[in-house]
Amino acid sequence: MKHKRYQSGFFLVIMVIVFFAVSLLSLSWGQIDIPFMHVLAAFAHELGLPILANVTVTPEQQAVLWHIRMPRTIVGLMVGAGLGASGAVMQGIFSNPLADPGIIGVSSGAAVGAVLAIALGLSEISMFYMPVFAFLGSLLAVTLTVSLAMRHGKIPVMTLLLSGVVVGMLLGAVTAAILTVINEQKLQQYLFWTIGGLDYRRWEHVFLGIGPILGGIGIMLLMARHLNILVLGDIEARAVGMPVGTYRLFLLAVASMTTATGVCISGNIGFVGLVVPHMMRMLVGPDHRQLLPASVLAGGAFLVFCDTVGRIIVPPLEVRVGIMTAFLGTPYFLYLLRRTRRLER
Amino acid sequence: MDGERRMRNEEILAVKNLAAGYGSRHILKDISFSVGQGEMIGLIGANGAGKSTLLKTLRGILPLLEGKILLKGRDIYALPARKFAREVAYLQQHVEVAFGYTAREIVMAGRYPYLRWWERENAADEEIVDACMEYAGVSELAGQTMYAISGGQRQRVLLAKVLAQQTPILFLDEPATGLDVFYQEEIFRFCRELCAAGKTVLMVVHELSLAARFCSRLLLVGQGHILADGTADKVLTAENLTQAYATDVQVVKNPLTGHTEVFTMPEKSDRRKDRLLGIILDGTLSAGTAANQAELRKYGSA
């Protein structure tokens, strides 16, 4: 057992290094190339550190770094980390490796909110309308799903899954209905939102999301040990004295809120919440005390990496991150699925 | 002897006029009994008689429809969840472990009721878990995933988890069902050892002969009630069992081992059965095979 602990500690250290390396890459690469040294120097100068004083950062580089790449990278790290953690928590709550926050209606609710904001023309008035509508839509959808599934104060997992599917279909129909009556330009705008992206993310987006996302991640990390029990199933968890309903509802709320915040500042980014925790489970095992921090780090690093690759793969165009996550994640996921022994029955 | 035992031992669990079931459907009615410390009680009865229902209701997993369950004199519904879990451990019939948790991680779950929500397991918990695994003979499986280990070992890992809860009372729902005879006996012996050490075990048992050999007391559940309560000799009578299993039963004391053994009586020749068998065999049931059937029946009654 000691051996295993050491391994997962070691693994987390590697993940932290990867996390920062990918961030540096994302700050450095792009249409305007900023060498690593210049990125580091810009930080050092800003913080008043007496290192790298001989490296001069041009004002253009400075501007690109602070106003474009920094907020973009931070939003990516934040959203990716939030999606990774929420995905791991959802899979824990449902004891099912195929669960992700989308399964209880987070994304379909956000879509309805977004399309409403577009249809009403609000998205042209202020950039904040769409995120706020998407956020409210998700919360509404999750509330609807949970209250449909609730019986005598309990939420049976199977019923919750089914009501999630039903609510998803209903909201999908609502979205489709609105889409049929809006004009082409608005349709384009919606399509753009559906494929999540990190382009044009500013500091406003960072400030909008950082509270709920970091708070949510913090709470989820604190609850890691309880998730280990919840995963064992209703009866098993109750037999060791866990008030299952309360914990399940609470974790559901936290994971939904974190995902909804992510969706509202960067659009719908699939795949991260589903695949990152799954990958991490194969690498560090199912103990949420290792799985959750690993998913947080890997989620952030993965999303930013995808974004960076998407930025430079077909210049001068950008491939949106929602597309890249699927393209880059699938092969690696398949590779892990074939290689791993830990999930085999 | 039964009476003596209860006089001698302190009452640890009392059930008064319990009714239980699903929704408004009562499966068990008017059930009363009390359990003394150190008893090893086997709940026996036909499939669907309500043995598991009773155990689940006692553990508070199924709602109590009527009556009272007192644990050391306190209503179980007045106990906080964690405190209850420090008094009673419950091993359910089928445990499905999702994801690749290792045996040790599963046993560690037994320490949950002792930790406040922000606490982590400490060295003492680790030590208890190691001791429980060693006692159950599964130390060497610690790092293995639950998927990778066999049914018998799996059951012992789950027993180690139940022991890690350090409760005075254990509720075990068919802990030995589906295992090889050797594993079965081992689990019963294990439970008897625990009872001798002062724990109280209430277990659902299917194998009547094993129940007779190892349990200090049997509760025969049937027709929504407890049909008989007492030692194996008292409970396992042809009359009681025939009533509980709704089929003719014979109880024999094996002169070689001194153990009680239970057999069902073969049904008498049944024309309807022969006709059905004829259909199943696609009308090929000839006089010869019919004779074989008669022969088979004779062996069945030996």
Side-chain angles (χ1 to χ4, degrees):
Chain A
M1 286 314 286
K2 273 203 176 115
H3 180 60
K4 200 196 142 210
R5 285 254 162 74
Y6 167 75
Q7 269 191 338
S8 39
F10 181 66
F11 184 79
L12 284 185
V13 170
I14 291 184
M15 287 308 303
V16 171
I17 295 169
V18 170
F19 187 79
F20 283 108
V22 168
S23 312
L24 192 59
L25 212 67
S26 163
L27 292 173
S28 165
W29 286 1
Q31 287 186 38
I32 297 162
D33 201 40
I34 308 174
F36 291 148
M37 273 304 145
H38 287 79
V39 175
L40 293 175
F43 274 107
H45 299 165
E46 196 70 20
L47 295 170
L49 297 175
I51 47 163
L52 298 166
N54 55 334
V55 184
T56 23
V57 183
T58 66
E60 194 203 13
Q61 287 179 332
Q62 185 79 9
V64 168
L65 213 51
W66 288 115
H67 299 297
I68 300 177
R69 299 226 181 124
M70 276 293 277
R72 180 172 188 159
T73 305
I74 293 176
V75 166
L77 291 174
M78 235 161 61
V79 171
L83 290 177
S86 317
V89 166
M90 283 297 194
Q91 293 174 9
I93 292 172
F94 288 100
S95 312
N96 190 329
L98 288 177
D100 78 343
I103 217 155
I104 56 161
V106 175
S107 15
S108 46
V112 169
V115 81
L116 258 180
I118 293 168
L120 298 174
L122 293 171
S123 57
E124 282 144 35
I125 301 171
S126 155
M127 64 177 256
F128 287 114
Y129 273 113
M130 214 150 85
V132 168
F133 267 62
F135 187 74
L136 292 179
S138 324
L139 292 196
L140 206 72
V142 172
T143 313
L144 187 61
T145 304
V146 171
S147 47
L148 272 181
M150 186 108 76
R151 283 277 160 81
H152 312 298
K154 283 186 205 159
I155 316 165
V157 166
M158 202 36 116
T159 323
L160 188 61
L161 274 177
L162 288 174
S163 59
V165 170
V166 169
V167 168
M169 282 196 207
L170 175 71
L171 296 180
V174 172
T175 306
I178 299 174
L179 286 177
T180 51
V181 296
I182 61 179
N183 65 34
E184 210 157 296
Q185 187 216 336
K186 285 179 172 174
L187 213 58
Q188 181 85 27
Q189 208 183 337
Y190 172 75
L191 187 68
F192 208 62
W193 180 85
T194 321
I195 310 157
L198 296 177
D199 37 357
Y200 307 115
R201 295 306 109 153
R202 308 208 178 88
W203 285 106
E204 285 90 325
H205 292 101
V206 174
F207 299 137
L208 198 66
I210 198 153
I213 290 184
L214 287 191
I217 290 174
I219 294 171
M220 289 190 268
L221 288 177
L222 276 177
M223 304 299 285
R225 188 172 61 81
H226 300 273
L227 265 169
N228 285 344
I229 305 294
L230 204 55
V231 166
L232 300 178
D234 232 38
I235 294 180
E236 206 63 10
R238 282 166 72 184
V240 294
M242 173 186 261
V244 175
T246 317
Y247 276 86
R248 185 174 288 157
L249 200 60
F250 178 66
L251 282 165
L252 217 55
V254 174
S256 308
M257 183 203 65
T258 309
T259 310
T261 312
V263 171
C264 94
I265 60 174
S266 68
N268 235 337
I269 298 174
F271 215 72
V272 179
L274 178 67
V275 162
V276 166
H278 207 136
M279 285 176 180
M280 291 304 112
R281 197 175 291 112
M282 292 177 196
L283 295 171
V284 298
D287 185 342
H288 288 81
R289 281 173 291 192
Q290 273 100 47
L291 178 63
L292 280 180
S295 299
V296 166
L297 293 169
F302 179 64
L303 194 63
V304 169
F305 179 73
C306 288
D307 183 49
T308 310
V309 174
R311 232 167 7 182
I312 58 172
I313 198 167
V314 279
L317 291 176
E318 276 192 14
V319 182
R320 304 205 91 199
V321 72
I323 299 168
M324 287 313 298
T325 50
F327 273 140
L328 290 180
T330 317
Y332 184 59
F333 181 59
L334 285 178
Y335 161 73
L336 275 182
L337 209 57
R338 290 189 163 267
R339 203 206 54 167
T340 187
R341 291 256 171 99
R342 203 158 156 113
L343 281 184
E344 263 172 29
R345 271 220 97 136
Chain B
M1 182 195 154
D2 180 21
E4 275 170 29
R5 180 173 212 113
R6 261 186 280 175
M7 296 259 279
R8 214 175 51 223
N9 291 327
E10 201 184 326
E11 180 185 270
I12 196 162
L13 186 74
V15 179
K16 288 175 184 161
N17 308 315
L18 168 145
Y22 300 88
S24 57
R25 198 160 64 92
H26 290 212
I27 290 178
L28 298 168
K29 274 175 286 244
D30 208 22
I31 296 216
S32 299
F33 61 92
S34 82
V35 178
Q37 197 216 330
E39 285 192 286
M40 175 165 169
I41 299 180
L43 292 173
I44 55 172
N47 285 327
K51 307 181 293 287
S52 294
T53 307
L54 178 57
L55 208 59
K56 279 186 189 142
T57 309
L58 294 181
R59 179 56 190 84
I61 286 164
L62 284 178
L64 177 67
L65 300 178
E66 275 166 37
K68 267 209 160 82
I69 303 165
L70 302 175
L71 183 78
K72 293 177 179 167
R74 280 187 69 185
D75 194 317
I76 61 161
Y77 284 92
L79 283 173
R82 274 175 57 234
K83 191 164 168 34
F84 194 8
R86 290 197 296 262
E87 297 288 346
V88 179
Y90 171 73
L91 175 63
Q92 54 171 330
Q93 223 175 86
H94 304 286
V95 185
E96 280 287 331
V97 179
F99 308 127
Y101 281 98
T102 62
R104 196 169 192 281
E105 284 165 342
I106 295 299
V107 178
M108 196 51 101
R111 299 307 298 162
Y112 186 81
Y114 292 91
L115 301 170
R116 304 209 148 266
W117 74 265
W118 64 88
E119 282 177 332
R120 291 185 71 121
E121 295 95 355
N122 59 25
D125 295 311
E126 305 269 347
E127 200 181 316
I128 291 162
V129 164
D130 286 336
C132 292
M133 292 192 80
E134 198 176 332
Y135 185 67
V138 288
S139 295
E140 71 282 4
L141 300 176
Q144 302 239 29
T145 68
M146 291 297 275
Y147 293 145
I149 61 186
S150 73
Q153 291 172 328
R154 198 184 144 84
Q155 211 59 15
R156 285 193 291 174
V157 170
L158 292 171
L159 273 173
K161 183 214 130 192
V162 165
L163 291 181
Q165 245 173 289
Q166 290 187 312
T167 56
I169 305 175
L170 305 178
F171 288 171
L172 312 174
D173 198 347
E174 297 190 27
T177 300
L179 303 183
D180 291 344
V181 179
F182 301 104
Y183 274 127
Q184 284 189 348
E185 290 199 11
E186 191 183 71
I187 285 188
F188 276 90
R189 230 172 261 125
F190 186 86
C191 291
R192 201 152 76 169
E193 224 172 88
L194 292 171
C195 288
K199 293 212 187 243
T200 308
V201 172
L202 203 64
M203 67 203 298
V204 173
V205 191
H206 266 297
E207 294 74 13
L208 296 180
S209 313
L210 284 170
R213 268 172 68 194
F214 290 99
C215 293
S216 65
R217 178 177 157 202
L218 298 178
L219 292 180
L220 179 62
V221 181
Q223 297 165 0
H225 301 284
I226 289 182
L227 296 175
D229 174 359
T231 57
D233 290 334
K234 215 176 105 191
V235 173
L236 295 181
T237 62
E239 190 192 349
N240 280 342
L241 294 177
T242 302
Q243 196 184 357
Y245 290 83
T247 177
D248 280 340
V249 174
Q250 222 171 32
V251 180
V252 185
K253 198 110 186 167
N254 186 326
L256 211 64
T257 58
H259 299 145
T260 306
E261 288 174 8
V262 179
F263 300 94
T264 53
M265 298 289 280
E267 288 173 55
K268 289 161 199 83
S269 179
D270 186 340
R271 274 171 190 284
R272 193 175 148 70
K273 266 253 169 86
D274 286 343
R275 198 178 60 80
L276 291 176
L277 199 57
I279 295 170
I280 294 165
L281 295 174
D282 198 18
T284 56
L285 186 67
S286 66
T289 48
N292 282 343
Q293 289 300 315
E295 191 76 358
L296 276 174
R297 256 184 230 111
K298 217 167 77 195
Y299 282 117
S301 72

